[in-house]
Amino acid sequence: NAGVMQNPRHLVRRRGQEARLRCSPMKGHSHVYWYRQLPEEGLKFMVYLQKENIIDESGMPKERFSAEFPKEGPSILRIQQVVRGDSAAYFCASSSGQEATGELFFGEGSRLTVL
Amino acid sequence: GNSVTQMEGPVTLSEEAFLTINCTYTATGYPSLFWYVQYPGEGLQLLLKATKADDKGSNKGFEATYRKETTSFHLEKGSVQVSDSAVYFCALKSSGDKLTFGTGTRLAVRP
């Protein structure tokens, strides 16, 4: 009964490097959401994707951040040229898109530390 | 747009005390409402939900009632335990839209 799988759980990068975070949704789910949680803060929506499509990227920073959800394979959140302010926990959630209630299922998060 | 406002924490209680965490919302249409819980070092888990006005969600002794007239979804528990120490997030979702979270309320329960 695999839930939402995120990797890596912990990632350390130096300023200027690239970070790639992966998310495999629950089986049967085709909708993926990425959220960012800064230390001692709530969750901020970043992007909502369906297979091969970005549905809502209103929460994504305009530069350095990108996301994809290819036909095959996991969703990837990519951060180029990381800065210290990118240090946060990044959570992925998935849904089938068919539930009337719209419940999302979350992964355990990827914690990015930028040195 | 949609928004959720939660009471600020931290909330510190003694074991067996009564818990209330306030949550109010602003939304278009008729959203579904949720409480999620985040234990230290973990992801979010759905605690309870309500999909229409006057519905009561309940789980693990926690309850929340969807009050359309006051646009509220306050979380309550009659007797908290040390194991309830966590961060609690109120959230709403309109049809076809993303889940919008409050800022979270940290609960610390002392033995």
Side-chain angles (χ1 to χ4, degrees):
Chain A
N1 183 22
V4 177
M5 304 299 293
Q6 290 189 247
N7 70 83
R9 291 291 309 277
H10 300 275
L11 182 64
V12 179
R13 286 288 179 265
R14 297 191 180 280
R15 282 178 295 171
Q17 293 184 320
E18 179 180 287
R20 286 194 181 216
L21 310 177
R22 297 174 193 79
C23 170
S24 295
M26 282 183 70
K27 186 176 181 180
H29 285 188
S30 59
H31 296 232
V32 166
Y33 304 76
W34 284 94
Y35 286 81
R36 176 165 62 176
Q37 184 179 35
L38 295 169
E40 302 302 318
E41 293 189 16
L43 281 86
K44 299 298 185 185
F45 168 78
M46 298 182 75
V47 63
Y48 164 32
L49 310 104
Q50 295 178 22
K51 284 286 187 180
E52 299 184 281
N53 288 305
I54 295 175
I55 307 303
D56 181 352
E57 57 181 348
S58 58
M60 287 280 272
K62 298 301 180 190
E63 298 177 345
R64 302 188 297 108
F65 285 72
S66 62
E68 63 176 7
F69 189 17
K71 186 177 180 180
E72 302 290 338
S75 175
I76 295 176
L77 180 67
R78 181 184 179 202
I79 311 172
Q80 295 178 287
Q81 300 173 2
V82 296
V83 301
R84 288 214 173 113
D86 297 333
S87 296
Y90 293 84
F91 289 96
C92 172
S94 74
S95 75
S96 68
Q98 295 175 0
E99 309 94 346
T101 62
E103 179 182 344
L104 300 188
F105 297 82
F106 281 81
E108 294 188 333
S110 292
R111 285 159 178 80
L112 172 66
T113 301
V114 179
L115 301 178
Chain B
N2 294 343
S3 67
V4 177
T5 302
Q6 288 183 238
M7 64 187 287
E8 287 192 19
V11 174
T12 303
L13 297 173
S14 296
E15 205 164 22
E16 299 184 3
F18 184 86
L19 168 70
T20 299
I21 300 178
N22 289 340
C23 171
T24 57
Y25 67 90
T26 302
T28 54
Y30 303 96
S32 295
L33 301 175
F34 305 83
W35 277 99
Y36 279 82
V37 58
Q38 183 180 30
Y39 298 102
E42 298 184 10
L44 277 74
Q45 304 173 23
L46 180 66
L47 180 60
L48 53 84
K49 64 186 179 187
T51 59
K52 60 182 186 298
D54 300 324
D55 268 3
K56 177 186 285 188
S58 61
N59 185 27
K60 299 181 181 179
F62 291 89
E63 292 184 340
T65 301
Y66 190 147
R67 301 286 188 199
K68 190 171 185 295
E69 64 276 13
T70 55
T71 60
S72 65
F73 194 54
H74 304 322
L75 182 68
E76 297 181 335
K77 186 174 185 181
S79 176
V80 294
Q81 306 300 313
V82 172
S83 58
D84 294 327
S85 298
V87 181
Y88 292 82
F89 292 92
C90 185
L92 70 83
K93 189 175 189 299
S94 296
S95 177
D97 197 7
K98 57 188 177 289
L99 195 64
T100 299
F101 286 91
T103 54
T105 302
R106 183 177 299 277
L107 170 66
V109 180
R110 299 178 301 215

